[in-house]
Amino acid sequence: MTIAQLHVSPRQQRQVGHLMQLAIVGVFVVGMINRNVSIIVNALIALAITFLPALLERDYRIPLNPALTLWITLAVLLHAIGMVGLYSTVWWWDHVTHTLSATIVAGVGYTTARVFDKHHDVVSFPQPFLFVYILVFTLGFGVFWEVLEFTVHSLADIYGFGPLLIQYSLEDTIVDLLFDLVGATLVAIFGTRTLADFADTVAAARARVRDVSRR
């Protein structure tokens, strides 16, 4: 079921998005009160990400479906809230955030592949290939993220500051990658139709930029 089927107007969707942004600001305030650098930095990054759709529309004329905007905002909001303490106190919180984040990464991977498919005659990506590609792309990014978490956590231990990213154990890493796979599979099965229009819009914007650069 889509947001459109729930009869939620674009105005209401924007209002929900603004409320989630305010919630991220609230997380930032909590970080400031507790002087917790990890919470502050993650909240600022999350807030910055929520403004990316508006920047894409303003600078590149790539409108993002309000439903997709809410999905991205929800993912970064849940991550920011998790940094307040839910990652360590709610056992399933990390699984939910990894699944949501993986759907976004998978969406980026699919959009990139579709843009290349649209713009290069010598490139053709059949549906079975795209399915596998989305899984591999998302898992590859997941591995990179886990290595980044481990590196940041190790540096935090060495220099004695709070880790900006949390990495618990090898077992936790494997579980994270499994939920990354869940998110990628959901997009590969159900999300490509939803993302197809956005990918075509990105492809059109890329064509406009290319035409302008050739003049």
Side-chain angles (χ1 to χ4, degrees):
M1 179 178 290
T2 65
I3 290 180
Q5 291 172 317
L6 293 175
H7 305 292
V8 179
S9 68
R11 181 171 178 270
Q12 290 171 319
Q13 293 176 38
R14 288 193 296 271
Q15 289 174 339
V16 172
H18 292 328
L19 286 175
M20 287 194 286
Q21 287 178 321
L22 286 175
I24 295 174
V25 173
V27 172
F28 171 77
V29 172
V30 171
M32 292 291 291
I33 293 174
N34 291 278
R35 298 181 180 179
N36 188 309
V37 177
S38 300
I39 296 175
I40 293 171
V41 172
N42 279 275
L44 287 175
I45 293 174
L47 191 61
I49 290 174
T50 66
F51 287 105
L52 285 179
L55 290 176
L56 287 175
E57 184 168 4
R58 186 194 69 186
D59 296 343
Y60 300 100
R61 289 182 290 171
I62 303 176
L64 197 62
N65 186 301
L68 295 177
T69 301
L70 288 181
W71 191 255
I72 294 171
T73 306
L74 177 63
V76 296
L77 169 63
L78 293 182
H79 169 68
I81 293 175
M83 294 302 298
V84 177
L86 293 183
Y87 276 131
S88 56
T89 58
V90 180
W91 66 268
W92 47 263
W93 196 269
D94 191 39
H95 305 334
V96 171
T97 56
H98 265 276
T99 303
L100 284 174
S101 298
T103 60
I104 295 172
V105 173
V108 171
Y110 169 78
T111 301
T112 303
R114 189 173 175 89
V115 169
F116 273 96
D117 195 12
K118 285 278 185 180
H119 273 280
H120 298 277
D121 295 334
V122 296
V123 176
S124 178
F125 296 142
Q127 196 59 38
F129 171 83
L130 280 177
F131 186 94
V132 176
Y133 162 78
I134 289 171
L135 301 186
V136 173
F137 181 89
T138 307
L139 283 178
F141 185 86
V143 171
F144 166 77
W145 186 261
E146 294 299 327
V147 171
L148 182 64
E149 283 186 347
F150 176 79
T151 302
V152 171
H153 202 282
S154 299
L155 290 173
D157 290 339
I158 292 173
Y159 293 103
F161 57 85
L164 301 180
L165 299 172
I166 300 175
Q167 205 274 347
Y168 295 103
S169 63
L170 179 60
E171 180 182 354
D172 176 70
T173 297
I174 294 173
V175 172
D176 286 347
L177 291 175
L178 287 176
F179 279 95
D180 289 343
L181 183 61
V182 170
T185 303
L186 289 174
V187 171
I189 296 175
F190 304 109
T192 53
R193 183 176 300 178
T194 302
L195 291 166
D197 290 341
F198 174 66
D200 292 344
T201 302
V202 174
R206 184 176 182 274
R208 287 196 302 269
V209 173
R210 185 180 59 183
D211 292 342
V212 169
S213 65
R214 287 178 176 177
R215 292 175 185 174

